[in-house]
Amino acid sequence: MEVESVSASEEGESLIEAILEKRSSEEIHSKIKNGAPLWYQNQEGISALHAAAYNEDLPIIKVLLENGAVWNSVDDLGNTAGDIALSFNNEDCYRTIRDAGLRSEFFLSHLSSKSIEIDAPSSIILRNEDSTAAGSQSEFLNSPLLFTKDENGQAICKVKVEDEEIGVMMGWEREIMKQTVHQLVEEHPGVSSLKVLNIGFGLGIIDGFFQSLSPPPAEHFIIEAHPDVLKHMKEQGWYENPGVTILEGRWQDVIDDERLLGLGGLDIVYTDTFSESYQDLKEFFEHLPDLLSGPNARFSFFNGLGATNALFYDVYTNLADLHLTNLGMVVKWSDVDVGCDDGKWSGTRKYFGMRLYRLPIAQMAIQ
Ligand SMILES: C[S@@+](CC[C@H](N)C(=O)[O-])C[C@H]1O[C@@H](n2cnc3c(N)ncnc32)[C@H](O)[C@@H]1O
């Protein structure tokens, strides 16, 4: 066994070296054909795919991916091969790696929705090792939340995870929520009597924007699961707001509530939950054809998964687009500049590292 892993690491090193030294493609192909391990990462975390990305060598990138190279392995600096291609502005190399990731995640997500057991530790959407309140719903729903303001006066709702504080919702997302509402209602033919559903109250930012529309929605449903958020909503008088109905519980448990289904279709649906995975979001997408009133209805969601890494964010964004398209929807994407001021995290875990937030607006395609 030991002998085997020594030779695997020797072969892995030798392949990386051959790529970095730009040896002949025959030599590199022969090493791959002879079984050099493509998963191997050297002491700096560099894999053969990273090496090919450093060389901007598109043919070798393609051969590596076709032979099973891991598209999302991260080196010691936190970079994937895709990030390296992006840093060289090499669109072809970047897209080739991104599309391989997208195909792989799409396929794995399909298998997982069919409850087929798969062992794919390299999948970003299937990896669910986080059993803390940040990654486990039951843990989150049993953890106390703190509604407070940071030193800059920014409102925060946070949860403590072991020794770390994580923002469930933070005031800096206000611009995203504002732009989302703007695009959800802009020139909407039903704007004078909207039927709106929002999932996840958090700090109530998006619900506040919906309520300040003129006129406010005729029907405004909010689904919220966390007992501390529900208590906060009561204290703030949300239960008494005319036209507002609060459905207490997880969306998974209340999405079939008669009060919602009895409306005959919603004009606007938004979802932004916490401690849920991409698979949960995809499961929510599947309810949309039943929830939306028709082709004029609009849907958006907080597009934040994978947003600590440019490649992962791009893969998640495109994966969501593919899954919504498969449901017969068309998605328009626009960018919201959220800046890169690290002060906005106020000591909490940074969960969004991109300068540009990619805002989705989806509608059922007209048949
Ligand atoms: C990020 S916050 C939403 C922030 C909100 N968009 C705003 O503008 O303030 C997420 C909210 O979703 C709630 N939540 C998490 N999982 C949920 C679920 N499965 N069903 C309903 N609500 C959920 C959390 O308790 C939290 O209040």
Side-chain angles (χ1 to χ4, degrees), residues 12 118 219 242 257 300 333:
I118 21 178
E219 300 277 359
D257 190 288
S300 187
W333 297 91

Side-chain angles (χ1 to χ4, degrees), residues 104 107-113 115-121 123 126:
S104 147
F107 176 65
L108 292 170
S109 141
H110 178 70
L111 292 186
S112 129
S113 65
S115 304
I116 296 171
E117 256 191 49
I118 21 178
D119 179 21
S123 162
L126 297 177

Side-chain angles (χ1 to χ4, degrees), residues 137 140 168-169 177 199-206 223-226 229 249-252 270 272-274 276:
Q137 273 268 289
F140 167 64
V168 173
M169 183 62 183
M177 299 299 140
I199 295 160
F201 180 82
L203 288 171
I205 299 177
I206 202 154
I223 299 180
E224 173 53 52
H226 199 292
V229 180
R250 298 179 69 221
W251 66 262
Q252 290 86 341
Y270 183 71
D272 175 10
T273 63
F274 184 80
E276 292 203 306

Side-chain angles (χ1 to χ4, degrees), residues 197 221-225 230 245-249 254 257 259-260:
L197 166 65
F221 282 80
I222 304 170
I223 299 180
E224 173 53 52
L230 292 165
T245 307
I246 294 153
L247 300 178
E248 300 183 351
V254 297
D257 190 288
R259 284 168 289 176
L260 259 185

